[in-house]
Amino acid sequence: MGSRTGLVLGYNGVHPFSKVKITDRASVQELLRTLLDPLEPFFSPLKARVRCPGATAVRFDQTASEVEGICRPLWGLACLLDGGGEYHGTQWWIDGIKSGTDTENPEFWGFPRDNDQRMVEMCPLGYALAVAPVIWQSLNEAEKTNVENWLGNSINEKNMPNTNWLWFRVFANLGLKKNGGKFSQERLDSDIEHLNTFYRGDGWSNDGPEGIHQMDYYSSSFAIHFLQLLYAKLAGEDEPERAAEFRKRAQVAALDLIHYYDKEGRALPFGRSVGYRFAMVSFWGALAYAGVDLPEPLTWGMVKGIVLRHLRWWQTQPDIWSPSGTLTIGYSYPNMYMAENYNSPGSPYWACLAFICLAVPADHPFWTSEEEYHGDVIPKVKALKHPGHIMSYLGGHCMLLSSGQACSYPMKGTHAKYGSFAYSSAYAYSVPPGLLTLEQYALASQLGLSDDGGEYWKTRRLSEYAGIEQRPSTPVLVSIWKPFPDVTIRTTLVPPSHETPNWHLRAHRIENAGSRTLKTADGAFAICNARVPDGRYLDPYDAAKCEGTQPRIVGNYDLATPEGWASGAAGAFAVSKGAVGIRALEPQDEEAAKQTQGEGRERAAMLVNADPNSNLVESRTVIPTLQGTIREGETVWYVSAIYAKPSGDGVPKESYLYGWDKAPEIPAWLKEEMAA
């Protein structure tokens, strides 16, 4: 069967995943099968490994990469079986487990070393053993011993990263415990007790110990909350107090996490590993699976709506597949620029966490309720203390302002994944495809500074201080950061208001104590740079077509062209799938700003024609940007107003720029701070 041709997607091919009409539990079961079926030709002869197409390397060995390929889809298969569903290829995985854990088998997976990727893949295997009895029952005594030796007893004496990884060892032991296998209760308990030290309050856990501020999807759907809830379900009878605590945390956190999902079905891309795609909603299915009582005003219809709308949105992203129908590394299209160094071709199948909803009984309100939308019953603006986010449901999209989070180790594009000022469900973040000039840095929702004339740029990665503070009538996010040792920036982020719902503000106080000149570039959101109907780059704005840019895009080779620049006060915008833009609110000489093209103290506006494949969702983008210059020893205030009005159902294109000429004024409290 390993030589079977399998699915082939040609020029106009449509993946079976996108053909499923998602309405109920049976349709989601079928959706999962369309995800599993294309893997069949990529199983190894003895079924122990799956080599997903791609051939790209990762920081761990090839065998571990192929162990990912077989184990990660187990999340989906196990959920399907746990809920009483069937899959014709179940035996492939059973045979693979037998072969992969047999030290005498040529396809043996290998025992894990310290901090080994194999430890991660023990988690879905442990869960599968716990909920799908057919797997353990299919093993003879020797094969059970092999699984015991590989799964639990090889990991219990190894060092693991001091992060969410500790949950993977918990589930390795739990899977064996549920089947009467050899496991370590002592290790299981000690790991959970240590994981509890990551808890910060109000339902939120950090992905690591003190000194690290990282609360991304690993704190919720990718790992910590998700696995706490699964543990509460599977171990609740033996450990009722622990299970009750995990349910309580999820119940409290749900009122915060609800803000990360929009009406169109999109989740807010934030942080690392968003290439796990629809795993971003697994928390919500796990709530139902673990029997959590929803906090008011949430309903099971709202929870169901989040999950099913999200799956439908991914059905509208046709480029997530390889030509053979497997998931690719990337987000809305294959993209190695945004990938982590641990993303193998099999890694994206962590997305199968989303199918925990299939383990929820058919008579649960999650399945019997009608879908509802949650956005009308939650606050339009809410400050979330623990992640350092201010959430906004104004302006037609779900948006967060962020300050203070950072990855604890070197990561590609980490400044974009955690250090950007704003993240939107409609306009995803961008990562740098290269490190030379603004076009390659693609500074969407970031402030960049260059001390070499614009070749290399520094942005916010670490903050010396970050906190939510209260100003008259609104919370704000304040951060202090240093792009260079002698340059100090205090950034204040102000969320949208009901009066100007499509605008948010950034105020930067920049103190250049150094002896050289700095160039600055403050970017808005990135937007699709393709015109209708032929896909060529956007032309100058045409009001009749409701499409284009102002000023015009001049490309990367003629940046001095006057038509490509406007004053900062006039600003720059781009209109395609909605509209985004940026304007300078600080007092300025508009004519001087336009003439100096960002080389003077007055900021000027232009469009950065970002390098292709820098954005997670759109492969061709443009970024409205304000550029300026700060002389040596100078301290300046910049106040940028950022505009965003997404396209969507019921949003006429004629309305995309309705708010552009109604930019907010600098608040009185901010004027006082600027004058102090």
Side-chain angles (χ1 to χ4, degrees):
M1 224 173 274
S3 62
R4 183 176 176 271
T5 299
L7 182 65
V8 177
L9 298 176
Y11 187 84
N12 289 315
V14 178
H15 197 288
F17 182 91
S18 294
K19 298 179 181 179
V20 177
K21 183 175 177 58
I22 300 175
T23 57
D24 55 14
R25 192 167 182 262
S27 63
V28 178
Q29 290 178 331
E30 183 57 28
L31 192 75
L32 172 63
R33 295 185 186 105
T34 69
L35 200 64
L36 300 179
D37 284 348
L39 293 171
E40 182 181 358
F42 303 103
F43 274 84
S44 57
L46 299 178
K47 299 293 183 288
R49 306 176 187 180
V50 172
R51 183 181 296 170
C52 294
T56 49
V58 276
R59 68 184 183 191
F60 45 87
D61 59 282
Q62 181 61 27
T63 296
S65 174
E66 295 176 16
V67 173
E68 276 195 335
I70 186 173
C71 285
R72 295 197 168 197
L74 260 177
W75 281 120
L77 178 61
C79 293
L80 178 68
L81 298 176
D82 188 17
E86 298 179 348
Y87 182 60
H88 69 91
T90 299
Q91 191 63 40
W92 306 338
W93 273 270
I94 294 174
D95 291 344
I97 293 167
K98 292 178 180 180
S99 298
T101 57
D102 181 359
T103 58
E104 301 300 318
N105 192 292
E107 294 186 2
F108 176 53
W109 291 335
F111 288 116
R113 300 173 178 176
D114 289 341
N115 306 314
D116 197 307
Q117 184 66 28
R118 290 163 179 78
M119 295 171 170
V120 181
E121 314 322 315
M122 290 179 175
C123 191
L125 178 53
Y127 172 71
L129 290 174
V131 303
V134 64
I135 298 176
W136 189 257
Q137 293 167 4
S138 298
L139 307 179
N140 61 36
E141 290 306 312
E143 290 164 344
K144 290 177 181 178
T145 299
N146 288 339
V147 172
E148 288 174 345
N149 290 337
W150 187 83
L151 181 59
N153 301 299
S154 66
I155 193 177
N156 284 329
E157 302 307 320
K158 296 292 189 297
N159 293 322
M160 298 188 74
N162 191 18
T163 65
N164 69 82
W165 272 43
L166 295 171
W167 270 112
F168 307 151
R169 185 160 58 196
V170 169
F171 271 80
N173 280 292
L174 181 62
L176 293 171
K177 178 181 180 180
K178 297 292 284 188
N179 288 282
K182 182 182 177 183
F183 75 103
S184 172
Q185 184 69 45
E186 179 182 3
R187 174 60 80 180
L188 188 155
D189 288 334
S190 65
D191 282 341
I192 291 181
E193 289 307 309
H194 185 78
L195 284 159
N196 281 335
T197 68
F198 297 171
Y199 185 61
R200 297 293 179 264
D202 301 318
W204 284 90
S205 289
N206 200 51
D207 188 12
E210 292 287 348
I212 296 170
H213 187 197
Q214 200 169 333
M215 294 183 177
D216 49 24
Y217 283 97
Y218 282 93
S219 291
S220 56
S221 282
F222 289 173
I224 295 176
H225 263 305
F226 179 80
L227 296 174
Q228 286 178 165
L229 289 169
L230 267 58
Y231 192 86
K233 168 70 173 179
L234 299 175
E237 290 187 7
D238 296 334
E239 304 172 46
E241 291 184 5
R242 195 175 266 170
E245 173 63 18
F246 290 158
R247 290 188 176 100
K248 180 182 177 182
R249 292 179 190 178
Q251 185 183 54
V252 174
L255 292 174
D256 287 348
L257 296 174
I258 195 80
H259 288 266
Y260 291 75
Y261 307 87
D262 75 7
K263 193 172 186 177
E264 304 292 324
R266 298 168 296 207
L268 252 168
F270 171 79
R272 67 188 178 104
S273 297
V274 293
Y276 297 157
R277 296 184 173 104
F278 27 98
M280 296 160 95
V281 295
S282 66
F283 169 80
W284 301 100
L287 283 178
Y289 181 69
V292 174
D293 294 325
L294 291 179
E296 294 183 350
L298 305 188
T299 68
W300 286 113
M302 294 174 189
V303 172
K304 179 181 181 180
I306 289 172
V307 175
L308 298 196
R309 282 193 302 271
H310 187 67
L311 293 174
R312 291 189 197 106
W313 184 79
W314 283 109
Q315 289 183 305
T316 69
Q317 306 300 299
D319 297 323
I320 65 176
W321 311 104
S322 72
S324 49
T326 58
L327 286 171
T328 58
I329 299 171
Y331 196 70
S332 285
Y333 59 92
N335 189 340
M336 294 302 296
Y337 294 127
M338 58 83 67
E340 323 302 355
N341 64 3
Y342 52 78
N343 286 158
S344 81
S347 294
Y349 283 87
W350 203 255
C352 288
L353 295 180
F355 294 100
I356 187 63
C357 60
L358 295 180
V360 177
D363 60 356
H364 189 284
F366 177 92
W367 290 116
T368 60
S369 300
E370 294 294 322
E371 290 180 48
E372 298 177 78
Y373 174 55
H374 58 278
D376 297 328
V377 301
I378 63 175
K380 295 300 183 184
V381 175
K382 183 179 181 181
L384 307 185
K385 176 179 69 174
H386 295 286
H389 291 163
I390 297 178
M391 314 301 296
S392 168
Y393 253 78
L394 297 171
H397 62 140
C398 175
M399 185 187 75
L400 69 83
L401 304 179
S402 184
S403 289
Q405 290 204 39
C407 192
S408 60
Y409 54 89
M411 171 170 287
K412 185 167 55 179
T414 184
H415 60 286
K417 295 168 183 175
Y418 294 95
S420 297
F421 302 124
Y423 296 83
S424 166
S425 60
Y427 301 111
Y429 68 74
S430 297
V431 295
L435 297 175
L436 188 68
T437 75
L438 282 176
E439 289 73 29
Q440 293 181 19
Y441 278 86
L443 299 179
S445 294
Q446 298 178 72
L447 172 67
L449 295 94
S450 172
D451 65 355
D452 63 5
E455 290 194 355
Y456 295 95
W457 294 80
K458 298 290 292 292
T459 65
R460 186 179 69 166
R461 187 179 75 83
L462 297 175
S463 295
E464 294 185 348
Y465 164 81
I468 296 171
E469 301 181 3
Q470 191 64 34
R471 298 293 186 270
S473 75
T474 186
V476 299
L477 264 172
V478 178
S479 63
I480 298 174
W481 51 288
K482 287 179 171 287
F484 303 100
D486 53 3
V487 177
T488 303
I489 302 177
R490 178 185 175 93
T491 295
T492 302
L493 305 177
V494 185
S497 68
H498 288 277
E499 293 74 26
T500 53
N502 299 107
W503 294 90
H504 71 273
L505 301 181
R506 299 178 203 147
H508 307 291
R509 182 187 185 276
I510 306 173
E511 181 181 355
N512 179 17
S515 58
R516 76 278 198 224
T517 297
L518 299 174
K519 290 181 66 70
T520 66
D522 203 2
F525 292 112
I527 193 170
C528 176
N529 185 13
R531 70 183 189 186
V532 178
D534 59 9
R536 292 193 173 193
Y537 281 175
L538 294 171
D539 294 318
Y541 183 67
D542 185 332
K545 296 179 180 178
C546 300
E547 182 183 77
T549 70
Q550 182 178 297
R552 76 178 182 90
I553 303 170
V554 296
N556 303 350
Y557 307 107
D558 52 356
L559 292 177
T561 302
E563 291 82 2
W565 294 84
S567 70
F573 66 74
V575 183
S576 59
K577 296 180 179 180
V580 301
I582 191 167
R583 305 179 88 151
L585 298 188
E586 71 270 10
Q588 66 170 211
D589 182 330
E590 292 193 43
E591 188 58 34
K594 182 177 180 180
Q595 294 297 324
T596 57
Q597 300 183 356
E599 297 294 337
R601 196 177 193 283
E602 312 287 344
R603 289 198 293 171
M606 48 84 70
L607 283 300
V608 172
N609 187 15
D611 261 25
N613 310 315
S614 53
N615 189 259
L616 269 62
V617 171
E618 301 291 345
S619 56
R620 298 173 178 85
T621 58
V622 64
I623 306 171
T625 299
L626 294 171
Q627 291 199 49
T629 300
I630 303 175
R631 307 302 175 190
E632 59 183 77
E634 191 174 31
T635 297
V636 302
W637 275 93
Y638 289 160
V639 183
S640 303
I642 296 85
Y643 182 84
K645 185 165 186 178
S647 59
D649 292 340
V651 181
K653 61 183 181 179
E654 292 81 8
S655 71
Y656 290 165
L657 286 176
Y658 276 2
W660 174 250
D661 292 326
K662 301 173 184 177
E665 295 183 355
I666 299 177
W669 58 263
L670 181 54
K671 289 181 180 178
E672 292 177 4
E673 293 182 10
M674 295 171 69

